[in-house]
Amino acid sequence: MKKQWKRLLIAALTSSSVFAVTWYWYQSTDHRISAHGNEKPLAYVGKVVEDIQRRPSSRLLWQLVNTGEPLYNGEAIRTSERGEVRIQFVDSDRYLDLEPESLIVIKKSEGEIALDLMEGSLFVNAKAGNETNAPGLVLNSAKGKVDLSRASASLSKGRGDSVDVQVLEGKASIKGSDGQSQDLTSRTEIKILSPLPQKPLAMDAESLQPVPFQWQGFPANTQVSVWVGSSRKQLKELVKAPLNQSQVMASLPFGRHYWKLVGTNPDGHVVAESPIYKTEVLARYAPTVVFPTADAEIPASSTPFDLTFKWQKGDDTRQMTLEVWKDPNLKEKLTAKSFTNEDSFTVPSLKAGTYYWRMSSYYVDSDKPVLGKVQKFVVKPSNEVNVQAKAPTPPPIVPVEVNFTMPEAQTTQYYVESPRLGLSWKADKTEQVTSWRVKLLQENADPSSAATMEVKDTTLSTPVSKPGRYIASIEALNKDGQVLGTTLSQTLTVAPLPLLQSPQFLPAEGTLQATLDGKTQLEWTALDGVKEYWLTIRKDGKELKRTKYLKNSTALKNLLPGEYEVEVAAYDSYGRKSEQGPSRKLIVPDRSGVRAPTLKKIKVN
């Protein structure tokens, strides 16, 4: 018995030392990876949608990645089913957009950055090619290296080791194992005129318009249809153009869409098909005009009168236009002025009367403006203004900057029982703000159906009708209900909280077996978010015991020799059971490790 305890002690010390060494190695490598010494990053993480994971070259575990983090040589990046990420390369304007369900490895060798597309699809924008100090950008493929340093291209992993490279703009070439280079060109004669591939479309959030599709290159007597879907694998026919027509209008909701054109002959057979493109329809708002407000009566001490317009510019606005007319039919234009960074403009020499105006925005991701609503104001001499207008002139309205404060990790919000959405924001001049107007629109819904709520605090938790993607914006209001400022629209996803994964017994394979003394040491994988584990023991299909554990290990004893089945399940803090994993076989041997006593001497009287 003493030897048995000695063996157990040695085994415990050995296991503890192995665990300690493994933990020390993991922590030390984690520190080295986070520091990276003097190593220069190859790229930085740009916009992140949903869950994105990275795996450094010297690690085995995947980690979540956030906007702004650097990426180093040999790192792998993968996206979830709805995840997307933009990777911005260092020292150049080049970037790549990794699409959902994709995996890529970034390496640097011999003065160039190499991409290994393991699965999925991506878009590379490197067509400018004017960065003299930037390293080359190549794609490793089974047929050789594809030089993308001066190309805008869409890449997809095909069957086996093949990679489909579709050059959209610029030049690309492939260098085979024989050292010969060959230029790559688009393999399709179909030319897309509208919408431009990979270019987002900015639409008025309050007036969503159909998207014009235009093309060239289909054979005569061809009927072209537009196929649209949420991913490359889920395209369905949305709209069909008349025979021999090269354009059609299609209604697309706000959000990301994949699409292609399919041409058929009069017999219904496919004669030509375009590659698959991606287009994102973005919700945009016209500038927030601080003064004058709609239908305002402006007292003028004397006429002609100089009126100063004031507005608030959005962060992604590249140009704004102010238009003023003298008549309601908008034929007698008084002024039309464009601005880039200004937030005010004075229209001189206005006579008494009614004027009409509109403010429009050009955004960085669109060539078409978002037109504001036509409003009016009245200039009246002071002695003609009504009694209310003669009241002391209120102080000028001070624009307020409003921004969301939810971290990137909260762009996807999970729920257990019923879907809810949580928002938080801040402003720079809160003393001017009396209340906040929250606008919430489901991504695929009609903009006119947007829900509007007025709150006093800078946080809001509200139920929503169903899970999905929502577009939110916040307006700051003063005591008179005037808009002082508004946030840029924010897209959020509401989804049910996934169940815990099934814990797995360790080791992962083989038969679990008790020691010769009948004791069994069981261990299973530890999961985050677990409240408790439940272990079930069965024999011949009959449940013998079901026990709760707070840790991911236990020691069983007093099991009779035989063959058992064991299962372990995890429960989260909401009492929900994890996914059901497979049962494992446990064998308790029918012989003991305890040696029988040996007779040393027999004495007979």
Side-chain angles (χ1 to χ4, degrees), residues 22 62 117 124 141 201 229 285 298 391 420-421 467 579 601:
T22 303
W62 289 92
L117 181 60
V124 172
S141 70
L201 294 175
Y285 294 87
I298 302 173
R420 296 187 68 86
L421 188 62
E579 299 175 358
K601 183 177 181 180

Side-chain angles (χ1 to χ4, degrees), residues 10-58:
I10 293 174
L13 292 174
T14 303
S15 300
S16 300
S17 61
V18 170
F19 173 80
V21 171
T22 303
W23 181 86
Y24 174 77
W25 171 82
Y26 186 90
Q27 295 296 324
S28 62
T29 56
D30 184 56
H31 175 73
R32 289 199 302 271
I33 289 168
S34 60
H36 280 285
N38 296 323
E39 181 182 357
K40 183 179 179 180
L42 299 184
Y44 287 90
V45 178
K47 181 180 179 181
V48 172
V49 178
E50 297 279 349
D51 291 339
I52 308 300
Q53 294 181 322
R54 70 191 297 178
R55 186 179 66 188
S57 57
S58 59

Side-chain angles (χ1 to χ4, degrees), residues 41 108 113 152 178 183 210 212 262 274 458 460 562-563:
K108 184 176 183 180
I113 297 176
S152 172
D178 56 358
D183 288 340
V262 178
S274 75
T458 56
L460 173 67
E563 186 176 298

Side-chain angles (χ1 to χ4, degrees), residues 99-101 121 156 166 213 225-239 252 256-262 273-279:
E99 296 182 3
E101 297 182 300
S121 305
S156 298
Q166 175 192 341
F213 285 82
S225 57
V226 181
W227 290 57
V228 181
S230 59
S231 70
R232 292 177 177 268
K233 301 177 182 178
Q234 299 177 342
L235 301 183
K236 295 182 180 179
E237 186 179 71
L238 177 65
V239 65
L252 298 180
R256 180 185 64 235
H257 306 280
Y258 294 89
W259 59 274
K260 67 178 180 180
L261 303 179
V262 178
E273 186 174 321
S274 75
I276 298 176
Y277 302 102
K278 183 183 74 170
T279 296

Side-chain angles (χ1 to χ4, degrees), residues 510-566:
T511 302
L512 304 175
Q513 188 163 348
T515 58
L516 296 179
D517 60 356
K519 295 183 179 180
T520 304
Q521 186 71 31
L522 292 181
E523 183 180 0
W524 51 86
T525 53
L527 303 177
D528 294 333
V530 173
K531 180 182 179 181
E532 58 196 27
Y533 300 94
W534 283 85
L535 178 69
T536 303
I537 304 176
R538 292 187 176 88
K539 184 176 178 61
D540 299 328
K542 181 179 179 181
E543 183 177 311
L544 301 181
K545 189 177 183 182
R546 187 170 182 268
T547 311
K548 179 177 72 174
Y549 298 95
L550 300 180
K551 298 182 178 180
N552 62 316
S553 63
T554 185
L556 303 177
K557 58 183 179 180
N558 299 328
L559 287 179
L560 296 177
E563 186 176 298
Y564 299 84
E565 289 183 350
V566 290

Side-chain angles (χ1 to χ4, degrees), residues 299-581:
S301 57
S302 63
T303 55
F305 178 73
D306 296 342
L307 177 65
T308 299
F309 284 78
K310 296 182 179 181
W311 58 83
Q312 182 181 16
K313 176 191 173 186
D315 291 340
D316 54 353
T317 304
R318 63 180 175 86
Q319 181 178 313
M320 296 159 292
T321 300
L322 173 65
E323 300 171 280
V324 182
W325 295 271
K326 295 181 179 180
D327 65 307
N329 297 323
L330 310 183
K331 293 183 178 180
E332 298 181 51
K333 183 171 288 189
L334 183 63
T335 185
K337 185 73 174 178
S338 296
F339 312 93
T340 53
N341 298 316
E342 298 86 348
D343 58 5
S344 65
F345 177 72
T346 300
V347 180
S349 304
L350 294 180
K351 298 179 181 180
T354 302
Y355 296 86
Y356 300 83
W357 60 273
R358 176 174 65 193
M359 196 100 190
S360 306
S361 282
Y362 288 84
Y363 289 89
V364 295
D365 43 29
S366 176
D367 295 328
K368 294 184 178 181
V370 175
L371 302 177
K373 295 181 179 179
V374 176
Q375 309 282 3
K376 68 177 181 179
F377 64 89
V378 180
V379 176
K380 288 186 176 182
S382 299
N383 56 0
E384 296 182 10
V385 179
N386 56 34
V387 176
Q388 291 183 350
K390 292 181 179 179
T393 303
I397 297 177
V398 179
V400 174
E401 183 178 353
V402 188
N403 295 294
F404 283 106
T405 57
M406 294 93 65
E408 289 287 339
Q410 287 190 10
T411 55
T412 299
Q413 301 184 11
Y414 298 102
Y415 67 91
V416 177
E417 296 181 355
S418 57
R420 296 187 68 86
L421 188 62
L423 303 173
S424 61
W425 58 92
K426 65 179 181 179
D428 60 344
K429 303 179 184 68
T430 54
E431 68 277 2
Q432 305 286 336
V433 181
T434 302
S435 62
W436 311 90
R437 182 186 296 152
V438 182
K439 292 183 179 180
L440 197 60
L441 173 67
Q442 192 171 355
E443 185 181 54
N444 297 327
D446 186 342
S448 62
S449 65
T452 302
M453 294 159 281
E454 191 166 325
V455 296
K456 299 294 184 181
D457 298 325
T458 56
T459 59
L460 173 67
S461 178
T462 180
V464 292
S465 59
K466 59 182 179 180
R469 290 165 64 89
Y470 290 83
I471 301 171
S473 65
I474 311 294
E475 294 178 338
L477 307 178
N478 64 10
K479 61 181 181 180
D480 299 322
Q482 297 172 313
V483 178
L484 306 181
T486 183
T487 62
L488 297 175
S489 58
Q490 173 73 52
T491 302
L492 302 165
T493 301
V494 179
L497 182 66
L499 293 175
L500 295 172
Q501 295 180 351
S502 172
Q504 304 293 320
F505 285 105
L506 301 175
E509 298 180 353
T511 302
L512 304 175
Q513 188 163 348
T515 58
L516 296 179
D517 60 356
K519 295 183 179 180
T520 304
Q521 186 71 31
L522 292 181
E523 183 180 0
W524 51 86
T525 53
L527 303 177
D528 294 333
V530 173
K531 180 182 179 181
E532 58 196 27
Y533 300 94
W534 283 85
L535 178 69
T536 303
I537 304 176
R538 292 187 176 88
K539 184 176 178 61
D540 299 328
K542 181 179 179 181
E543 183 177 311
L544 301 181
K545 189 177 183 182
R546 187 170 182 268
T547 311
K548 179 177 72 174
Y549 298 95
L550 300 180
K551 298 182 178 180
N552 62 316
S553 63
T554 185
L556 303 177
K557 58 183 179 180
N558 299 328
L559 287 179
L560 296 177
E563 186 176 298
Y564 299 84
E565 289 183 350
V566 290
E567 295 177 356
V568 62
Y571 287 79
D572 61 17
S573 57
Y574 301 99
R576 303 183 308 159
K577 184 180 178 181
S578 67
E579 299 175 358
Q580 184 63 50

